[in-house]
Amino acid sequence: DVKVTQSSRYLVKRTGEKVFLECVQDMDHENMFWYRQDPGLGLRLIYFSYDVKMKEKGDIPEGYSVSREKKERFSLILESASTNQTSMYLCASSLTQGVSFFGPGTRLTVL
Amino acid sequence: DQQVKQNSPSLSVQEGRISILNCDYTNSMFDYFLWYKKYPAEGPTFLISISSIKDKNEDGRFTVFLNKSAKHLSLHIVPSQPGDSAVYFCAASFGGSNYKLTFGKGTLLTVNP
């Protein structure tokens, strides 16, 4: 069965902290993605990776970075968390052509 | 510029009736379209997809229709059930973008018993 896991379901951080969100998939997918979901704005792509050590900016990359050292793991990094980064963060993976499978999400609150 | 649009933020239907959710797109490069369902505090789950070479795809109670000339797709749920109450996202992709998905803003479907 397809599985995408995210390190935390809920996270509370302080402004200025460095935040790491981890995502692991067990489907040997090439592509991995990070989205954020905000009310009324849908899902917006932050970064994606189509291979190990490869990454591309999505629609809203500012304030974020990513790391993909192994095929199954894709990390999202908030270098200095700000209150406007309070959001639901969703990781997904997919084959080169196909359906994206999502993790359960991380609800991040930045105080 | 929003490339995938879901113009109805919400839709309410009676149990047993048909639910029709609509989606419009502007990018003619899109060749693969998907619908996802999302419950609160959970990740989206894949529902049904359609390739641009088809105009209809059916899976049980769910049917997706694609009108390429109008750049429009719709999801039909028949019969609607209370458990179908969720936010539905339309998404589109194409090969030149490594198949990353562009999502609409979602439609909240409420099915009343």
Side-chain angles (χ1 to χ4, degrees):
Chain A
D1 201 14
V2 164
K3 194 116 177 151
V4 178
T5 57
Q6 295 183 228
S7 50
S8 305
R9 292 300 303 271
Y10 300 94
L11 212 51
V12 179
K13 295 292 181 181
R14 298 242 174 240
T15 302
E17 279 192 78
K18 191 168 186 176
V19 182
F20 293 86
L21 302 182
E22 305 284 335
C23 175
V24 177
Q25 51 99 359
D26 66 357
M27 297 162 284
D28 202 35
H29 285 170
E30 294 92 353
N31 295 342
M32 295 189 75
F33 309 87
W34 276 105
Y35 295 86
R36 63 179 280 179
Q37 184 201 358
D38 301 288
L41 297 178
L43 277 73
R44 294 179 293 166
L45 181 65
I46 304 170
Y47 265 98
F48 72 102
S49 168
Y50 49 89
D51 202 351
V52 176
K53 297 191 186 292
M54 306 301 286
K55 61 186 179 185
E56 279 195 28
K57 293 179 180 179
D59 301 317
I60 50 164
E62 297 79 18
Y64 303 94
S65 63
V66 290
S67 172
R68 193 166 180 202
E69 297 296 318
K70 293 184 177 181
K71 191 175 186 180
E72 68 270 18
R73 188 178 298 268
F74 193 34
S75 303
L76 179 70
I77 303 150
L78 286 67
E79 297 291 342
S80 177
S82 62
T83 54
N84 64 11
Q85 292 179 310
T86 292
S87 186
M88 168 73 95
Y89 289 88
L90 294 158
C91 175
S93 71
S94 74
L95 292 170
T96 303
Q97 177 181 2
V99 173
S100 284
F101 295 92
F102 283 83
T106 296
R107 169 66 66 184
L108 173 67
T109 302
V110 182
L111 302 174
Chain B
D1 182 32
Q2 206 180 343
Q3 297 186 62
V4 178
K5 299 178 185 178
Q6 293 178 256
N7 292 318
S8 298
S10 63
L11 175 68
S12 183
V13 300
Q14 283 299 120
E15 181 178 4
R17 299 287 187 103
I18 184 171
S19 296
I20 300 176
L21 296 101
N22 293 303
C23 178
D24 298 295
Y25 61 96
T26 58
N27 189 342
S28 57
M29 298 286 289
F30 288 140
D31 60 11
Y32 191 59
F33 304 89
L34 308 90
W35 285 94
Y36 282 83
K37 175 180 175 180
K38 188 180 184 300
Y39 294 117
E42 293 184 14
T45 54
F46 169 71
L47 206 52
I48 193 168
S49 64
I50 188 166
S51 164
S52 60
I53 61 173
K54 295 186 172 182
D55 54 19
K56 178 183 173 181
N57 189 25
E58 193 170 350
D59 183 3
R61 297 186 296 116
F62 303 92
T63 304
V64 57
F65 295 92
L66 176 62
N67 182 334
K68 287 186 290 295
S69 60
K71 293 192 178 70
H72 176 84
L73 63 154
S74 60
L75 174 68
H76 293 211
I77 306 173
V78 181
S80 301
Q81 300 173 353
D84 296 330
S85 297
V87 177
Y88 288 78
F89 290 100
C90 170
S93 70
F94 63 99
S97 70
N98 280 309
Y99 286 96
K100 64 182 173 76
L101 298 178
T102 300
F103 282 87
K105 293 186 177 181
T107 297
L108 173 62
L109 173 66
T110 303
V111 180
N112 301 302

mmCIF file of all heavy atoms in Angstrom, chain A residues 32-36 44-49 54-67 74-77 90 92, chain B residues 100:
data_model
loop_
_atom_site.group_PDB
_atom_site.id
_atom_site.type_symbol
_atom_site.label_atom_id
_atom_site.label_comp_id
_atom_site.label_asym_id
_atom_site.label_seq_id
_atom_site.Cartn_x
_atom_site.Cartn_y
_atom_site.Cartn_z
ATOM 1 N N MET A 32 9.045 14.295 -5.736
ATOM 2 C CA MET A 32 8.496 14.639 -4.430
ATOM 3 C C MET A 32 8.214 16.126 -4.391
ATOM 4 O O MET A 32 8.898 16.923 -5.049
ATOM 5 C CB MET A 32 9.442 14.224 -3.295
ATOM 6 C CG MET A 32 9.617 12.708 -3.203
ATOM 7 S SD MET A 32 10.514 12.157 -1.743
ATOM 8 C CE MET A 32 9.267 12.360 -0.447
ATOM 9 N N PHE A 33 7.200 16.489 -3.609
ATOM 10 C CA PHE A 33 6.684 17.857 -3.626
ATOM 11 C C PHE A 33 6.382 18.334 -2.200
ATOM 12 O O PHE A 33 6.000 17.536 -1.352
ATOM 13 C CB PHE A 33 5.365 17.926 -4.415
ATOM 14 C CG PHE A 33 5.426 17.305 -5.783
ATOM 15 C CD1 PHE A 33 5.178 15.957 -5.956
ATOM 16 C CD2 PHE A 33 5.711 18.073 -6.901
ATOM 17 C CE1 PHE A 33 5.218 15.370 -7.208
ATOM 18 C CE2 PHE A 33 5.753 17.499 -8.157
ATOM 19 C CZ PHE A 33 5.506 16.152 -8.313
ATOM 20 N N TRP A 34 6.493 19.621 -2.009
ATOM 21 C CA TRP A 34 5.995 20.274 -0.807
ATOM 22 C C TRP A 34 5.000 21.352 -1.200
ATOM 23 O O TRP A 34 5.301 22.221 -2.033
ATOM 24 C CB TRP A 34 7.119 20.911 0.013
ATOM 25 C CG TRP A 34 7.809 19.956 0.937
ATOM 26 C CD1 TRP A 34 9.040 19.402 0.791
ATOM 27 C CD2 TRP A 34 7.297 19.445 2.177
ATOM 28 N NE1 TRP A 34 9.318 18.575 1.842
ATOM 29 C CE2 TRP A 34 8.281 18.587 2.706
ATOM 30 C CE3 TRP A 34 6.111 19.630 2.887
ATOM 31 C CZ2 TRP A 34 8.108 17.904 3.915
ATOM 32 C CZ3 TRP A 34 5.944 18.957 4.079
ATOM 33 C CH2 TRP A 34 6.935 18.103 4.591
ATOM 34 N N TYR A 35 3.798 21.272 -0.596
ATOM 35 C CA TYR A 35 2.749 22.265 -0.791
ATOM 36 C C TYR A 35 2.391 22.862 0.570
ATOM 37 O O TYR A 35 2.614 22.257 1.609
ATOM 38 C CB TYR A 35 1.473 21.615 -1.340
ATOM 39 C CG TYR A 35 1.568 21.022 -2.724
ATOM 40 C CD1 TYR A 35 2.020 19.720 -2.922
ATOM 41 C CD2 TYR A 35 1.169 21.759 -3.841
ATOM 42 C CE1 TYR A 35 2.085 19.172 -4.191
ATOM 43 C CE2 TYR A 35 1.227 21.215 -5.110
ATOM 44 C CZ TYR A 35 1.682 19.916 -5.271
ATOM 45 O OH TYR A 35 1.739 19.369 -6.529
ATOM 46 N N ARG A 36 1.770 24.027 0.508
ATOM 47 C CA ARG A 36 1.092 24.528 1.682
ATOM 48 C C ARG A 36 -0.351 24.808 1.317
ATOM 49 O O ARG A 36 -0.656 25.190 0.174
ATOM 50 C CB ARG A 36 1.772 25.758 2.293
ATOM 51 C CG ARG A 36 1.845 26.982 1.464
ATOM 52 C CD ARG A 36 2.531 28.137 2.213
ATOM 53 N NE ARG A 36 1.625 28.807 3.142
ATOM 54 C CZ ARG A 36 1.963 29.834 3.928
ATOM 55 N NH1 ARG A 36 3.201 30.303 3.886
ATOM 56 N NH2 ARG A 36 1.093 30.390 4.740
ATOM 57 N N ARG A 44 -0.710 25.342 -2.744
ATOM 58 C CA ARG A 44 0.299 26.059 -3.523
ATOM 59 C C ARG A 44 1.646 25.354 -3.400
ATOM 60 O O ARG A 44 2.060 24.995 -2.290
ATOM 61 C CB ARG A 44 0.394 27.505 -3.040
ATOM 62 C CG ARG A 44 -0.862 28.319 -3.305
ATOM 63 C CD ARG A 44 -0.720 29.748 -2.793
ATOM 64 N NE ARG A 44 -0.650 29.787 -1.335
ATOM 65 C CZ ARG A 44 -0.254 30.857 -0.659
ATOM 66 N NH1 ARG A 44 0.120 31.954 -1.288
ATOM 67 N NH2 ARG A 44 -0.228 30.825 0.660
ATOM 68 N N LEU A 45 2.309 25.189 -4.517
ATOM 69 C CA LEU A 45 3.555 24.437 -4.561
ATOM 70 C C LEU A 45 4.718 25.293 -4.080
ATOM 71 O O LEU A 45 4.957 26.391 -4.593
ATOM 72 C CB LEU A 45 3.820 23.948 -5.988
ATOM 73 C CG LEU A 45 5.071 23.114 -6.201
ATOM 74 C CD1 LEU A 45 4.975 21.792 -5.441
ATOM 75 C CD2 LEU A 45 5.258 22.842 -7.693
ATOM 76 N N ILE A 46 5.472 24.776 -3.116
ATOM 77 C CA ILE A 46 6.621 25.499 -2.575
ATOM 78 C C ILE A 46 7.893 25.095 -3.330
ATOM 79 O O ILE A 46 8.605 25.930 -3.886
ATOM 80 C CB ILE A 46 6.790 25.207 -1.072
ATOM 81 C CG1 ILE A 46 5.508 25.533 -0.303
ATOM 82 C CG2 ILE A 46 7.963 26.009 -0.494
ATOM 83 C CD1 ILE A 46 5.513 25.056 1.144
ATOM 84 N N TYR A 47 8.184 23.805 -3.333
ATOM 85 C CA TYR A 47 9.352 23.253 -4.020
ATOM 86 C C TYR A 47 9.011 21.848 -4.490
ATOM 87 O O TYR A 47 8.155 21.183 -3.913
ATOM 88 C CB TYR A 47 10.546 23.139 -3.060
ATOM 89 C CG TYR A 47 11.511 24.287 -3.078
ATOM 90 C CD1 TYR A 47 11.432 25.291 -2.117
ATOM 91 C CD2 TYR A 47 12.532 24.360 -4.029
ATOM 92 C CE1 TYR A 47 12.331 26.351 -2.112
ATOM 93 C CE2 TYR A 47 13.440 25.411 -4.036
ATOM 94 C CZ TYR A 47 13.332 26.400 -3.073
ATOM 95 O OH TYR A 47 14.225 27.441 -3.066
ATOM 96 N N PHE A 48 9.720 21.409 -5.522
ATOM 97 C CA PHE A 48 9.627 19.998 -5.861
ATOM 98 C C PHE A 48 10.988 19.464 -6.287
ATOM 99 O O PHE A 48 11.905 20.235 -6.601
ATOM 100 C CB PHE A 48 8.549 19.735 -6.902
ATOM 101 C CG PHE A 48 8.861 20.203 -8.288
ATOM 102 C CD1 PHE A 48 9.281 19.306 -9.256
ATOM 103 C CD2 PHE A 48 8.699 21.538 -8.649
ATOM 104 C CE1 PHE A 48 9.545 19.729 -10.547
ATOM 105 C CE2 PHE A 48 8.959 21.967 -9.934
ATOM 106 C CZ PHE A 48 9.374 21.057 -10.887
ATOM 107 N N SER A 49 11.097 18.155 -6.265
ATOM 108 C CA SER A 49 12.347 17.479 -6.601
ATOM 109 C C SER A 49 12.021 16.303 -7.515
ATOM 110 O O SER A 49 11.133 15.509 -7.222
ATOM 111 C CB SER A 49 13.028 16.972 -5.329
ATOM 112 O OG SER A 49 14.082 16.091 -5.656
ATOM 113 N N MET A 54 18.266 16.970 -6.784
ATOM 114 C CA MET A 54 17.704 17.908 -7.752
ATOM 115 C C MET A 54 16.488 18.585 -7.131
ATOM 116 O O MET A 54 15.682 17.934 -6.452
ATOM 117 C CB MET A 54 17.295 17.185 -9.038
ATOM 118 C CG MET A 54 18.401 16.375 -9.671
ATOM 119 S SD MET A 54 19.834 17.367 -10.101
ATOM 120 C CE MET A 54 19.235 18.238 -11.523
ATOM 121 N N LYS A 55 16.343 19.879 -7.383
ATOM 122 C CA LYS A 55 15.193 20.596 -6.840
ATOM 123 C C LYS A 55 14.837 21.737 -7.778
ATOM 124 O O LYS A 55 15.687 22.254 -8.503
ATOM 125 C CB LYS A 55 15.501 21.141 -5.441
ATOM 126 C CG LYS A 55 16.660 22.120 -5.418
ATOM 127 C CD LYS A 55 17.015 22.527 -4.002
ATOM 128 C CE LYS A 55 18.197 23.502 -4.017
ATOM 129 N NZ LYS A 55 18.670 23.833 -2.654
ATOM 130 N N GLU A 56 13.570 22.104 -7.733
ATOM 131 C CA GLU A 56 13.111 23.266 -8.496
ATOM 132 C C GLU A 56 12.148 24.068 -7.642
ATOM 133 O O GLU A 56 11.386 23.499 -6.859
ATOM 134 C CB GLU A 56 12.395 22.840 -9.788
ATOM 135 C CG GLU A 56 13.340 22.491 -10.904
ATOM 136 C CD GLU A 56 12.643 22.438 -12.249
ATOM 137 O OE1 GLU A 56 11.626 23.130 -12.444
ATOM 138 O OE2 GLU A 56 13.126 21.683 -13.111
ATOM 139 N N LYS A 57 12.181 25.372 -7.816
ATOM 140 C CA LYS A 57 11.261 26.235 -7.100
ATOM 141 C C LYS A 57 9.859 26.052 -7.645
ATOM 142 O O LYS A 57 9.657 25.886 -8.845
ATOM 143 C CB LYS A 57 11.682 27.694 -7.232
ATOM 144 C CG LYS A 57 12.993 28.013 -6.536
ATOM 145 C CD LYS A 57 13.368 29.465 -6.725
ATOM 146 C CE LYS A 57 14.687 29.779 -6.028
ATOM 147 N NZ LYS A 57 15.093 31.186 -6.222
ATOM 148 N N GLY A 58 8.910 26.109 -6.725
ATOM 149 C CA GLY A 58 7.515 26.120 -7.116
ATOM 150 C C GLY A 58 7.008 27.542 -7.229
ATOM 151 O O GLY A 58 7.747 28.457 -7.606
ATOM 152 N N ASP A 59 5.771 27.733 -6.835
ATOM 153 C CA ASP A 59 5.151 29.050 -6.985
ATOM 154 C C ASP A 59 5.471 30.005 -5.839
ATOM 155 O O ASP A 59 5.449 31.212 -6.008
ATOM 156 C CB ASP A 59 3.625 28.883 -7.095
ATOM 157 C CG ASP A 59 3.245 28.014 -8.276
ATOM 158 O OD1 ASP A 59 3.840 28.203 -9.360
ATOM 159 O OD2 ASP A 59 2.369 27.131 -8.126
ATOM 160 N N ILE A 60 5.758 29.463 -4.655
ATOM 161 C CA ILE A 60 5.985 30.320 -3.472
ATOM 162 C C ILE A 60 7.205 29.845 -2.683
ATOM 163 O O ILE A 60 7.097 29.467 -1.518
ATOM 164 C CB ILE A 60 4.733 30.364 -2.561
ATOM 165 C CG1 ILE A 60 4.218 28.949 -2.253
ATOM 166 C CG2 ILE A 60 3.610 31.183 -3.202
ATOM 167 C CD1 ILE A 60 3.253 28.897 -1.086
ATOM 168 N N PRO A 61 8.422 29.895 -3.256
ATOM 169 C CA PRO A 61 9.595 29.355 -2.565
ATOM 170 C C PRO A 61 10.230 30.279 -1.518
ATOM 171 O O PRO A 61 11.065 29.845 -0.733
ATOM 172 C CB PRO A 61 10.569 29.133 -3.721
ATOM 173 C CG PRO A 61 10.209 30.218 -4.691
ATOM 174 C CD PRO A 61 8.711 30.396 -4.587
ATOM 175 N N GLU A 62 9.809 31.536 -1.494
ATOM 176 C CA GLU A 62 10.484 32.511 -0.627
ATOM 177 C C GLU A 62 10.353 32.122 0.841
ATOM 178 O O GLU A 62 9.265 31.848 1.332
ATOM 179 C CB GLU A 62 9.898 33.915 -0.860
ATOM 180 C CG GLU A 62 10.094 34.478 -2.245
ATOM 181 C CD GLU A 62 9.115 33.908 -3.263
ATOM 182 O OE1 GLU A 62 8.074 33.340 -2.860
ATOM 183 O OE2 GLU A 62 9.398 34.001 -4.474
ATOM 184 N N GLY A 63 11.487 32.111 1.523
ATOM 185 C CA GLY A 63 11.500 31.783 2.947
ATOM 186 C C GLY A 63 11.669 30.299 3.239
ATOM 187 O O GLY A 63 11.722 29.896 4.403
ATOM 188 N N TYR A 64 11.773 29.509 2.160
ATOM 189 C CA TYR A 64 11.903 28.057 2.306
ATOM 190 C C TYR A 64 13.125 27.548 1.545
ATOM 191 O O TYR A 64 13.563 28.157 0.576
ATOM 192 C CB TYR A 64 10.672 27.343 1.746
ATOM 193 C CG TYR A 64 9.365 27.746 2.335
ATOM 194 C CD1 TYR A 64 8.581 28.729 1.729
ATOM 195 C CD2 TYR A 64 8.879 27.139 3.497
ATOM 196 C CE1 TYR A 64 7.368 29.108 2.268
ATOM 197 C CE2 TYR A 64 7.656 27.514 4.035
ATOM 198 C CZ TYR A 64 6.909 28.499 3.417
ATOM 199 O OH TYR A 64 5.700 28.860 3.955
ATOM 200 N N SER A 65 13.647 26.418 1.997
ATOM 201 C CA SER A 65 14.629 25.664 1.227
ATOM 202 C C SER A 65 14.290 24.183 1.386
ATOM 203 O O SER A 65 13.457 23.821 2.216
ATOM 204 C CB SER A 65 16.054 25.969 1.680
ATOM 205 O OG SER A 65 16.234 25.576 3.031
ATOM 206 N N VAL A 66 14.921 23.339 0.567
ATOM 207 C CA VAL A 66 14.638 21.913 0.624
ATOM 208 C C VAL A 66 15.938 21.128 0.504
ATOM 209 O O VAL A 66 16.970 21.642 0.083
ATOM 210 C CB VAL A 66 13.670 21.463 -0.500
ATOM 211 C CG1 VAL A 66 12.271 21.984 -0.262
ATOM 212 C CG2 VAL A 66 14.203 21.869 -1.867
ATOM 213 N N SER A 67 15.830 19.868 0.874
ATOM 214 C CA SER A 67 16.965 18.962 0.775
ATOM 215 C C SER A 67 16.464 17.577 0.393
ATOM 216 O O SER A 67 15.489 17.077 0.965
ATOM 217 C CB SER A 67 17.695 18.892 2.123
ATOM 218 O OG SER A 67 18.685 17.889 2.103
ATOM 219 N N PHE A 74 12.443 13.764 1.603
ATOM 220 C CA PHE A 74 12.435 15.149 1.097
ATOM 221 C C PHE A 74 12.127 16.056 2.276
ATOM 222 O O PHE A 74 11.077 15.922 2.901
ATOM 223 C CB PHE A 74 11.377 15.282 0.000
ATOM 224 C CG PHE A 74 11.440 16.538 -0.816
ATOM 225 C CD1 PHE A 74 12.644 17.153 -1.126
ATOM 226 C CD2 PHE A 74 10.279 17.108 -1.322
ATOM 227 C CE1 PHE A 74 12.699 18.292 -1.897
ATOM 228 C CE2 PHE A 74 10.315 18.251 -2.118
ATOM 229 C CZ PHE A 74 11.527 18.837 -2.403
ATOM 230 N N SER A 75 13.050 16.955 2.573
ATOM 231 C CA SER A 75 12.910 17.818 3.740
ATOM 232 C C SER A 75 12.620 19.254 3.317
ATOM 233 O O SER A 75 13.204 19.755 2.349
ATOM 234 C CB SER A 75 14.202 17.794 4.573
ATOM 235 O OG SER A 75 14.513 16.477 4.958
ATOM 236 N N LEU A 76 11.738 19.878 4.056
ATOM 237 C CA LEU A 76 11.432 21.295 3.870
ATOM 238 C C LEU A 76 11.998 22.047 5.060
ATOM 239 O O LEU A 76 11.790 21.646 6.207
ATOM 240 C CB LEU A 76 9.921 21.518 3.778
ATOM 241 C CG LEU A 76 9.460 22.958 3.599
ATOM 242 C CD1 LEU A 76 9.834 23.475 2.202
ATOM 243 C CD2 LEU A 76 7.951 23.068 3.808
ATOM 244 N N ILE A 77 12.712 23.135 4.784
ATOM 245 C CA ILE A 77 13.375 23.894 5.835
ATOM 246 C C ILE A 77 12.885 25.330 5.810
ATOM 247 O O ILE A 77 12.882 25.981 4.747
ATOM 248 C CB ILE A 77 14.908 23.862 5.641
ATOM 249 C CG1 ILE A 77 15.396 22.400 5.611
ATOM 250 C CG2 ILE A 77 15.612 24.632 6.755
ATOM 251 C CD1 ILE A 77 16.615 22.174 4.775
ATOM 252 N N LEU A 90 1.897 20.074 3.222
ATOM 253 C CA LEU A 90 1.591 18.770 2.658
ATOM 254 C C LEU A 90 2.720 18.309 1.751
ATOM 255 O O LEU A 90 3.142 19.037 0.856
ATOM 256 C CB LEU A 90 0.285 18.833 1.867
ATOM 257 C CG LEU A 90 -0.957 19.104 2.709
ATOM 258 C CD1 LEU A 90 -2.078 19.668 1.842
ATOM 259 C CD2 LEU A 90 -1.429 17.826 3.386
ATOM 260 N N ALA A 92 4.023 15.324 -0.972
ATOM 261 C CA ALA A 92 3.468 14.362 -1.923
ATOM 262 C C ALA A 92 4.592 13.744 -2.730
ATOM 263 O O ALA A 92 5.692 14.293 -2.831
ATOM 264 C CB ALA A 92 2.463 15.043 -2.850
ATOM 265 N N LYS B 100 4.220 18.128 -12.241
ATOM 266 C CA LYS B 100 3.807 18.741 -10.978
ATOM 267 C C LYS B 100 2.379 19.253 -11.154
ATOM 268 O O LYS B 100 1.980 19.677 -12.229
ATOM 269 C CB LYS B 100 4.761 19.851 -10.569
ATOM 270 C CG LYS B 100 4.837 21.048 -11.488
ATOM 271 C CD LYS B 100 5.881 22.020 -10.940
ATOM 272 C CE LYS B 100 6.122 23.153 -11.913
ATOM 273 N NZ LYS B 100 5.052 24.147 -11.906
#
